[in-house]
Amino acid sequence: MNTAVSLPAEQKQRVRTLWISDLHLGTRGCQADKLAAFLKSYECDQLYLVGDIIDGWRLRKGIYWPQAHTNVLRRILTMSKRGTRVVYVTGNHDEFLRRYSTLLLGSIELVDEAVHHCQDGRRLLVIHGDQFDVITRCHRWLAFLGDHAYEFSLVLNRWLNHWRNRFGLGYWSLSGYLKHRVKKAVNFISEFEEALAHECNKRGLEGVVCGHIHHAEIRQVSGIDYLNCGDWVESCTALIEHQDGRIELYRWNEATAAALQPVDDALEGSVV
């Protein structure tokens, strides 16, 4: 089921639902330009923001907020204004919003979790996932330490890929390599997936859409549909539900970027 979705060059593609997570707006790692281009390419009935959209952890240390990050928020608000139901599911990096859960801002809903009803009848728990991460829940200092380590790996990654690009080599993810090769990281991902599958079984739901671990995937876990959005820091991935209820994993690449066409943003500038 892990497949990439091709974008039409001529016009926006109409889909039922989009899920994106772990944008980390407010950090240097956020690939906001790519995300804005992706969102401009689709019209959808529902957009789920599955946590860690605004990185409150990083913004506490200092403000980093380029125009590209504002453009992403404007695009989301524009989609809401044009009739898309936007559901903002809080995560651990934007946990400052959890005190306002159940707040309705126009057509934007702020929640800690939601249940999505697919066109084909499946019911999916939509949750960021940090609630099922033992480190985040029980050892907060380790979560902060891990965040610093991840940020450092991104700096190394930028330097490494600068030189790879100079020699005509493609993008390579250091953190992605470590997630797939380091035994403890592999075990952590497996335990995370199993915990979410167990929760869905307990609630009588058919699947879960989550983020948090920056590892995009669609697969069956203990009889449950496990769908992870990935992130817009490295992998630049999203989940797309088509009109028939089929869900696919979208992954940004240069071919996709070349297919994107400018669209009319006349209304976007009026949204603040």
Side-chain angles (χ1 to χ4, degrees), residues 31 149-165 170-178 233-235:
Q31 301 203 45
Y150 180 64
E151 184 182 14
F152 179 66
S153 77
L154 291 179
V155 173
L156 286 178
N157 219 47
R158 284 195 292 269
W159 177 84
L160 176 63
N161 281 289
H162 166 77
W163 286 103
R164 284 178 63 86
N165 187 57
Y171 179 83
W172 182 78
S173 170
L174 172 62
S175 65
Y177 174 82
L178 293 175
V233 176
E234 287 192 276
S235 61

Side-chain angles (χ1 to χ4, degrees), residues 122-135:
R122 285 178 295 167
R123 295 166 303 148
L124 307 178
L125 174 64
V126 184
I127 191 168
H128 181 62
D130 60 289
Q131 302 91 330
F132 298 87
D133 177 351
V134 175
I135 293 175

Side-chain angles (χ1 to χ4, degrees), residues 13 20 69 116 124 134 137 143 164 172 183 231 233 272:
Q13 184 174 343
I20 54 176
H69 293 204
H116 174 74
L124 307 178
V134 175
R137 279 193 300 113
R164 284 178 63 86
W172 182 78
K183 184 177 180 181
D231 67 275
V233 176
V272 295

Side-chain angles (χ1 to χ4, degrees), residues 17-258:
T17 311
L18 294 176
W19 290 272
I20 54 176
S21 74
D22 297 273
L23 316 187
H24 292 278
L25 294 168
T27 70
R28 296 184 186 277
C30 173
Q31 301 203 45
D33 288 330
K34 292 179 181 179
L35 174 58
F38 164 72
L39 291 174
K40 287 177 185 178
S41 305
Y42 287 91
E43 291 182 353
C44 59
D45 300 327
Q46 300 167 98
L47 170 65
Y48 286 92
L49 309 172
V50 193
D52 285 5
I53 306 304
I54 299 171
D55 197 317
W57 291 12
R58 194 68 62 240
L59 290 174
R60 286 195 207 115
K61 302 172 185 176
I63 300 299
Y64 173 79
W65 196 272
Q67 182 62 42
H69 293 204
T70 298
N71 292 344
V72 168
L73 293 183
R74 282 185 170 175
R75 170 51 49 182
I76 292 169
L77 291 173
T78 296
M79 293 172 73
S80 172
K81 184 176 180 180
R82 293 176 179 173
T84 296
R85 175 190 175 222
V86 179
V87 181
Y88 191 134
V89 180
T90 56
N92 54 308
H93 280 255
D94 44 22
E95 63 187 353
F96 63 93
L97 293 172
R98 284 181 171 163
R99 70 187 70 175
Y100 307 111
S101 294
T102 71
L103 188 66
L104 183 63
L105 300 170
S107 57
I108 299 180
E109 305 168 37
L110 185 65
V111 298
D112 291 335
E113 61 179 62
V115 174
H116 174 74
H117 295 261
C118 296
Q119 184 63 34
D120 59 13
R122 285 178 295 167
R123 295 166 303 148
L124 307 178
L125 174 64
V126 184
I127 191 168
H128 181 62
D130 60 289
Q131 302 91 330
F132 298 87
D133 177 351
V134 175
I135 293 175
T136 300
R137 279 193 300 113
C138 305
H139 304 285
R140 191 172 176 82
W141 66 272
L142 269 178
F144 280 108
L145 183 62
D147 184 57
H148 283 295
Y150 180 64
E151 184 182 14
F152 179 66
S153 77
L154 291 179
V155 173
L156 286 178
N157 219 47
R158 284 195 292 269
W159 177 84
L160 176 63
N161 281 289
H162 166 77
W163 286 103
R164 284 178 63 86
N165 187 57
R166 290 281 295 269
F167 287 100
L169 300 173
Y171 179 83
W172 182 78
S173 170
L174 172 62
S175 65
Y177 174 82
L178 293 175
K179 284 177 186 176
H180 285 89
R181 291 291 183 269
V182 177
K183 184 177 180 181
K184 286 186 178 180
V186 173
N187 289 343
F188 167 77
I189 291 174
S190 178
E191 290 168 4
F192 176 80
E193 294 170 347
E194 289 288 348
L196 282 165
H198 175 75
E199 182 67 18
C200 287
N201 274 316
K202 188 169 69 173
R203 299 192 193 191
L205 301 172
E206 288 75 39
V208 59
V209 175
C210 61
H212 186 56
I213 60 173
H214 294 212
H215 184 68
E217 191 158 24
I218 296 179
R219 70 186 190 94
Q220 283 269 313
V221 177
S222 300
I224 291 296
D225 290 331
Y226 172 85
L227 306 100
N228 195 302
C229 306
D231 67 275
W232 283 87
V233 176
E234 287 192 276
S235 61
C236 296
T237 51
L239 294 168
I240 299 174
E241 180 191 11
H242 294 279
Q243 299 295 348
D244 59 1
R246 177 173 47 93
I247 299 177
E248 292 188 276
L249 175 62
Y250 165 95
R251 191 179 302 276
W252 178 279
N253 55 46
E254 294 308 317
T256 299

